C-alpha cells in the first residue's frame, strides 16, 4: 500500500487575463459556476478524496480567496436574524477546520512549476495532490478520489489525462504513452504544449496530480521551459524512471474554465444538473438554437 495522500496544493496565483475585465480586482478562481466559486469546487473535490490539509499558493489581489474560506460574522448574523437557515448553512459549509488551511504567496508569476515549488516547505516527505481550479470536472466519483483510490494500490506518480483533438495539443502537457491497463496508461515521456505535429500522443494532462515529494527537488533548478515559464510538466518528465508513473484516464467530463467558452459551457452543464433550475434552463435554451 502506498502512503496516504493527506495534503493538496492549489496554485491560485495566476492573473486570469483571459477574463478581463472581470478579473481586474477579483481572482479568477472566485468566478462562480452557477452559484459556487471555482476554487470551492476544487476544495470540495479534494475533501471528498480524503484530503485533510489545503495549501493555497496565492498572489497579490487574491485575498478574496482567504476571506471566502473564513468566517463572515456580519453576514452570518444577518442571515440568522432573518431566519435564512439554508443560506446560513451554505456559508458555514465553506469553513475548513481551523488549522487545515495554509497560504503562501507566489511573489512573481513565473509559471505553474514555480507556484508548486513555492509550497515546498509546507510538505515534508509525503505524496501531495495538486488541483488546478480551472479544470472543473463533472463526474459520478470526484476525479481526485478516482485517482487516490488507484494510487493507494500503485504508489508513485499519477496525473489525470484526457484525449484532446490533435489540433489542441499546444494548450496542454502531453504524454508519451506506454502500456495501457483499463484507465491506467503508463507514462514514458511528457512534453509541455507541443505543436500538433510534434505531439507524442493526444493524451493531454488535466489539472489533477498526485506526486512524490521529490518533485520539489526536480523543480528547485527553476529552469524555464515553454512560454519562458517554470513548467511542472518539465519536472515531471525528469521524474520518469524514478518509480511507477501513470496517466489516469478519469471518468467524467472536464470543462476548461480557463477559457470563456469552456466556462460558459460549465455553467450550462452544472445548471442542467440542478433539479431547481434544469427545466427553466432547458426551456430558455430553445430560444438560442
Ligand atoms: C497547465 C499545465 C498543462 C496542463 C494544463 C491542464 O497549463 O501546464 O500541462 O495540460 O494546465 O489544464 P495551463 O492551462 O496553465 O497553461
Amino acid at each position: 500500500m502506498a502512503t496516504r495522500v493527506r495534503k493538496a496544493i492549489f496554485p491560485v496565483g495566476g492573473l486570469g487575463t483571459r477574463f478581463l475585465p472581470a478579473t481586474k480586482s477579483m481572482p479568477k478562481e472566485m468566478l462562480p459556476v452557477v452559484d459556487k466559486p471555482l476554487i470551492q469546487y476544487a476544495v470540495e473535490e479534494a475533501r471528498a478524496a480524503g484530503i485533510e490539509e489545503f495549501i493555497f499558493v496565492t498572489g497579490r489581489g487574491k485575498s478574496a480567496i482567504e476571506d471566502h474560506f473564513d468566517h463572515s460574522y456580519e453576514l452570518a448574523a444577518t442571515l440568522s436574524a432573518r431566519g435564512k437557515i439554508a443560506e446560513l448553512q451554505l456559508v458555514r459549509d465553506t469553513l475548513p477546520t481551523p488549522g487545515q488551511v495554509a497560504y503562501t504567496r507566489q511573489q512573481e508569476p513565473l509559471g505553474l512549476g514555480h507556484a508548486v515549488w513555492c509550497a515546498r516547505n509546507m510538505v515534508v516527505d509525503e505524496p501531495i495532490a495538486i488541483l488546478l481550479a480551472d479544470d472543473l470536472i463533472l463526474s459520478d466519483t470526484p476525479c481526485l478520489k478516482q485517482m487516490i483510490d488507484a494510487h493507494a494500490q500503485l504508489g508513485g506518480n499519477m496525473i489525470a489525462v484526457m484525449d484532446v483533438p490533435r489540433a489542441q495539443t499546444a494548450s496542454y502537457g502531453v504524454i508519451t504513452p506506454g502500456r495501457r491497463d483499463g484507465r491506467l496508461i503508463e507514462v514514458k515521456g511528457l512534453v509541455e504544449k507541443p505543436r500538433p505535429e510534434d505531439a507524442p500522443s493526444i493524451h493531454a494532462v488535466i489539472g489533477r496530480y498526485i506526486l512524490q515529494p521529490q518533485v520539489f527537488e526536480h523543480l528547485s533548478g527553476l529552469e524555464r521551459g515553454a512560454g519562458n515559464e517554470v513548467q511542472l510538466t518539465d519536472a515531471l518528465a525528469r521524474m520518469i524512471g524514478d518509480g511507477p508513473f501513470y496517466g489516469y484516464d478519469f471518468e467524467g467530463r472536464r470543462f476548461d474554465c480557463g477559457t470563456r467558452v469552456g466556462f460558459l459551457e460549465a455553467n450550462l452543464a452544472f445548471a442542467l444538473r440542478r433539479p431547481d433550475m434544469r427545466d427553466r434552463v432547458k426551456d430558455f435554451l430553445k430560444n438560442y438554437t
Side-chain angles (χ1 to χ4, degrees), residues 119-179:
R120 67 198 178 283
N121 291 333
M122 299 161 116
V123 180
V124 181
D125 204 25
E126 60 183 320
I128 41 146
I130 301 170
L131 294 95
L132 307 186
D134 278 0
D135 284 326
L136 181 59
I137 298 165
L138 188 57
S139 55
D140 293 336
T141 305
C143 180
L144 188 66
K145 168 102 172 82
Q146 298 175 40
M147 292 171 65
I148 282 192
D149 287 348
H151 185 265
Q153 309 299 322
L154 299 161
N157 297 300
M158 189 174 285
I159 54 182
V161 295
M162 177 184 111
D163 287 2
V164 297
R166 184 164 279 275
Q168 293 175 14
T169 57
S171 300
Y172 297 94
V174 176
I175 68 165
T176 305
R179 216 167 58 84

Side-chain angles (χ1 to χ4, degrees), residues 8-10 12 28-51 54 56 65 68-69 90 93-95 130-139 141-145 207-208 253-257 262-277:
I9 298 175
F10 301 84
V12 291
K28 65 172 175 167
E29 296 80 10
M30 289 301 294
L31 289 169
V33 168
V34 184
D35 51 11
K36 201 191 286 183
L38 281 169
I39 188 63
Q40 194 178 334
Y41 285 97
V43 165
E44 288 178 0
E45 180 181 329
R47 188 174 292 132
I51 296 296
F54 305 81
F56 292 82
I65 296 176
H68 184 72
F69 292 107
L90 286 176
D93 285 346
T94 60
L95 278 182
I130 301 170
L131 294 95
L132 307 186
D134 278 0
D135 284 326
L136 181 59
I137 298 165
L138 188 57
S139 55
T141 305
C143 180
L144 188 66
K145 168 102 172 82
R208 301 290 182 276
R253 269 173 70 201
R254 169 260 188 181
F255 300 93
D256 182 0
C257 292
F263 175 72
L264 198 59
E265 191 185 352
N267 269 281
L268 281 174
F270 277 72
L272 287 167
R273 293 260 293 209
R274 289 266 295 254
D276 58 329
M277 300 173 74

Side-chain angles (χ1 to χ4, degrees), residues 112 132 135 171-173 192-193 204-207 209 231 233 254:
L112 178 60
L132 307 186
D135 284 326
S171 300
Y172 297 94
E192 180 69 6
K193 300 194 168 68
V205 180
I206 300 303
Y209 307 77
Q231 295 292 353
T233 303
R254 169 260 188 181

Side-chain angles (χ1 to χ4, degrees), residues 6-287:
R6 297 187 316 111
K7 296 190 180 185
I9 298 175
F10 301 84
V12 291
L15 294 176
T17 49
R18 288 202 192 108
F19 281 95
L20 285 169
T23 49
K24 187 179 168 205
S25 66
M26 180 180 85
K28 65 172 175 167
E29 296 80 10
M30 289 301 294
L31 289 169
V33 168
V34 184
D35 51 11
K36 201 191 286 183
L38 281 169
I39 188 63
Q40 194 178 334
Y41 285 97
V43 165
E44 288 178 0
E45 180 181 329
R47 188 174 292 132
I51 296 296
E52 294 165 1
E53 290 188 38
F54 305 81
I55 301 166
F56 292 82
V57 182
T58 71
R60 281 179 295 286
K62 298 280 183 166
S63 50
I65 296 176
E66 295 179 47
D67 292 339
H68 184 72
F69 292 107
D70 196 0
H71 283 287
S72 176
Y73 287 109
E74 198 183 348
L75 177 62
T78 307
L79 290 173
S80 173
R82 293 186 184 165
K84 293 197 175 287
I85 304 306
E87 289 81 354
L88 195 57
Q89 193 53 49
L90 286 176
V91 168
R92 287 196 177 131
D93 285 346
T94 60
L95 278 182
T97 306
Q100 269 193 335
V101 186
Y103 297 91
T104 188
R105 278 200 183 201
Q106 183 187 22
Q107 293 161 336
E108 295 169 273
L110 298 181
L112 178 60
H114 177 256
V116 170
W117 177 77
C118 287
R120 67 198 178 283
N121 291 333
M122 299 161 116
V123 180
V124 181
D125 204 25
E126 60 183 320
I128 41 146
I130 301 170
L131 294 95
L132 307 186
D134 278 0
D135 284 326
L136 181 59
I137 298 165
L138 188 57
S139 55
D140 293 336
T141 305
C143 180
L144 188 66
K145 168 102 172 82
Q146 298 175 40
M147 292 171 65
I148 282 192
D149 287 348
H151 185 265
Q153 309 299 322
L154 299 161
N157 297 300
M158 189 174 285
I159 54 182
V161 295
M162 177 184 111
D163 287 2
V164 297
R166 184 164 279 275
Q168 293 175 14
T169 57
S171 300
Y172 297 94
V174 176
I175 68 165
T176 305
R179 216 167 58 84
R180 183 173 188 134
D181 180 8
R183 293 195 174 277
L184 294 166
I185 305 172
E186 194 187 347
V187 176
K188 298 196 123 174
L190 273 156
V191 54
E192 180 69 6
K193 300 194 168 68
R195 294 182 307 179
E197 58 272 33
D198 300 330
S201 75
I202 56 162
H203 303 315
V205 180
I206 300 303
R208 301 290 182 276
Y209 307 77
I210 300 173
L211 303 177
Q212 295 303 314
Q214 287 74 22
V215 67
F216 297 112
E217 289 155 35
H218 288 281
L219 283 167
S220 62
L222 299 179
E223 294 98 351
R224 306 294 182 100
N228 199 30
E229 293 190 337
V230 181
Q231 295 292 353
L232 180 59
T233 303
D234 295 343
L236 299 186
R238 292 192 282 270
M239 292 169 84
I240 290 169
D242 288 358
F245 201 143
Y246 291 103
Y248 190 88
D249 186 5
F250 57 95
E251 169 273 316
R253 269 173 70 201
R254 169 260 188 181
F255 300 93
D256 182 0
C257 292
T259 68
R260 286 173 290 233
V261 173
F263 175 72
L264 198 59
E265 191 185 352
N267 269 281
L268 281 174
F270 277 72
L272 287 167
R273 293 260 293 209
R274 289 266 295 254
D276 58 329
M277 300 173 74
R278 188 171 43 220
D279 292 344
R280 274 175 297 159
V281 174
K282 268 189 180 161
D283 211 38
F284 81 58
L285 278 175
K286 286 183 203 139
N287 301 333

